[in-house]
Amino acid sequence: SDLGMDWRLGAEYFEWKLVDYDVTSNWMNWMYGAGVGNDPRGDARYFNVIKQGLQYDPDAFYIRKWLPELSRIRNARTAYAPWTMSQATQEECHCLIGTDYPAPMRDVQIPHNIAW
């Protein structure tokens, strides 16, 4: 929903790309992430990937392993939001935003309860 695209495009794309594809898991997770379906919270449901990453991988081990561009970023919080690095830190980590790692496609909301 962040990009204003139909969530089914993502679900269909992953259907062809995932090695361990499971119909229910894939499509239901895409529905949940897009905020469609029945939910008593209504529009209050929002899947914040930065918050989820920090909650379930606080040392950023997983993200650094699978995104080698981020492997030199020492601070776990910064690994989940690399566009927040200063130019000097980007150069030090060999991770220039817009060159080595893409810039955000939209304004990303960083959870307010995370100390930066």
Side-chain angles (χ1 to χ4, degrees):
S1 63
D2 285 343
L3 299 178
M5 297 175 63
D6 188 329
W7 63 270
R8 292 172 290 192
L9 296 171
E12 185 176 343
Y13 177 80
F14 273 74
E15 183 175 333
W16 293 103
K17 295 294 182 180
L18 290 173
V19 176
D20 60 346
Y21 176 73
D22 175 75
V23 175
T24 305
S25 179
N26 184 54
W27 284 79
M28 297 306 281
N29 279 315
W30 275 94
M31 284 179 68
Y32 182 83
V36 298
N38 294 326
D39 192 319
R41 293 173 286 181
D43 293 336
R45 177 176 50 188
Y46 179 75
F47 189 79
N48 190 313
V49 294
I50 297 171
K51 179 180 180 279
Q52 292 289 313
L54 288 169
Q55 182 174 353
Y56 295 106
D57 182 29
D59 298 321
F61 174 79
Y62 183 87
I63 196 170
R64 287 187 194 136
K65 176 178 178 157
W66 295 105
L67 295 172
E69 305 90 340
L70 306 179
S71 65
R72 295 183 183 185
I73 300 174
R74 292 184 296 274
N75 182 302
R77 289 185 171 105
T78 305
Y80 282 103
W83 57 90
T84 63
M85 292 188 291
S86 67
Q87 185 66 32
T89 304
Q90 290 179 41
E91 291 171 4
E92 177 186 322
C93 295
H94 302 281
C95 183
L96 300 177
I97 303 305
T99 303
D100 302 312
Y101 189 83
M105 296 173 71
R106 59 175 281 296
D107 183 27
V108 178
Q109 298 295 317
I110 296 175
H112 69 282
N113 60 344
I114 297 174
W116 292 93

